[in-house]
Amino acid sequence: MPLEELFYKALEAGYRRGWHKLLAKYARAPATGRYQSLLHHSINTALTGWRLAKLLGVEEKYLEPLFVGLFLHDYAKSAKEYQERVTRGWPTPPEKIPRGQLAEDFEKLLDELGLKDWSRGIARRVAYLNEAPSTPFDYAEMLSAGPLPEKLLDVAVLADVLNSIRGYWELGGRVSKILGKYGFRIAYHQVSIIRGVVTQLVHRAVEEAMRDKGYEP
């Protein structure tokens, strides 16, 4: 399925479930003046994963299940219990793996997004394995999920990390280590004053300069 079609299918599914009204990151809860909705985080992580996969040369057959798996990687956060806790500022990690009714809904969403058989299994593993387990149930489910190709798992981890960090100062460590395995390194630029349209022009100019030098923004 082409990326554009997959994107709009996922976006529609997220809006139907009200993900734009749910929180994905408690560190960005409204009390701090910043937040990241579940829909925003899920879509951005999926798009980042697709982009990284193309950049790192992941096989074409993995792109669709990678996108879907990353779109669903925080599905358990749609649970009412998690949303109640996060809005109260209780940073208790949720279960990573959905179960019960949530697990049934997860499988229905895989149907909606058109995945079957092999692709479905890959998407499920991407969704389950891109983060460390939070509970014994998570750990048991992850062990039984089956492996992923190393590069695919690295892309899944990177995509989530890049959409979870609070700023450029968190780009070292894990991000640099994973990219370094494939001969890449990450660079960034910083502007000291934000002036709306002018700032965007500066960003675009830097992107063009990077492309001229063979880099990939």
Side-chain angles (χ1 to χ4, degrees):
M1 188 184 302
L3 174 59
E4 185 175 0
E5 183 180 350
L6 200 53
F7 168 79
Y8 283 114
K9 272 193 169 187
L11 193 64
E12 182 183 357
Y15 271 116
R16 275 203 311 271
R17 287 165 173 78
W19 283 12
H20 56 298
K21 299 177 182 177
L22 304 180
L23 291 175
K25 297 294 176 184
Y26 60 78
R28 292 174 169 81
T32 67
R34 299 175 299 168
Y35 72 95
Q36 196 174 27
S37 75
L38 183 57
L39 181 57
H40 180 190
H41 178 68
S42 300
I43 280 286
N44 281 349
T45 302
L47 289 171
T48 301
W50 183 290
R51 181 75 166 169
L52 284 169
K54 299 284 279 189
L55 187 64
L56 298 183
V58 170
E59 290 182 70
E60 194 78 19
K61 66 180 181 180
Y62 288 115
L63 294 181
E64 185 177 345
L66 172 68
F67 183 97
V68 173
L70 286 175
F71 178 67
L72 299 178
H73 80 281
D74 271 343
Y75 194 86
K77 290 183 178 179
S78 64
K80 181 180 178 181
E81 295 79 7
Y82 175 77
Q83 292 299 316
E84 287 177 348
R85 295 185 70 84
V86 76
T87 52
R88 293 174 184 172
W90 298 344
T92 302
E95 284 186 339
K96 173 69 178 171
I97 314 297
R99 55 171 156 175
Q101 185 60 52
L102 212 58
E104 292 180 21
D105 293 341
F106 181 96
E107 295 299 321
K108 288 177 183 176
L109 192 43
L110 288 177
D111 289 334
E112 284 182 40
L113 296 173
L115 293 196
K116 301 183 184 300
D117 304 327
W118 177 84
S119 293
R120 193 184 189 97
I122 295 295
R124 196 181 290 113
R125 284 174 226 161
V126 167
Y128 290 178
L129 300 177
N130 79 315
E131 291 177 311
S134 298
T135 66
F137 172 76
D138 286 346
Y139 189 77
E141 289 296 305
M142 287 178 176
L143 285 176
S144 64
L148 279 174
E150 182 181 11
K151 186 182 289 187
L152 191 64
L153 181 57
D154 282 341
V155 166
V157 170
L158 269 178
D160 188 26
V161 171
L162 288 172
N163 283 283
S164 300
I165 60 176
R166 291 167 295 173
Y168 64 87
W169 57 88
E170 295 182 356
L171 286 171
R174 197 175 190 186
V175 173
S176 296
K177 184 177 180 180
I178 293 176
L179 286 174
K181 289 166 58 176
Y182 305 102
F184 289 89
R185 66 184 180 87
I186 197 161
Y188 59 86
H189 66 278
Q190 181 183 6
V191 292
S192 57
I193 300 175
I194 298 176
R195 297 194 181 278
V197 174
V198 174
T199 302
Q200 290 303 313
L201 291 174
V202 171
H203 289 323
R204 292 291 177 85
V206 172
E207 284 185 9
E208 289 179 12
M210 290 178 72
R211 285 195 178 94
D212 289 343
K213 296 294 183 181
Y215 296 100
E216 184 66 28

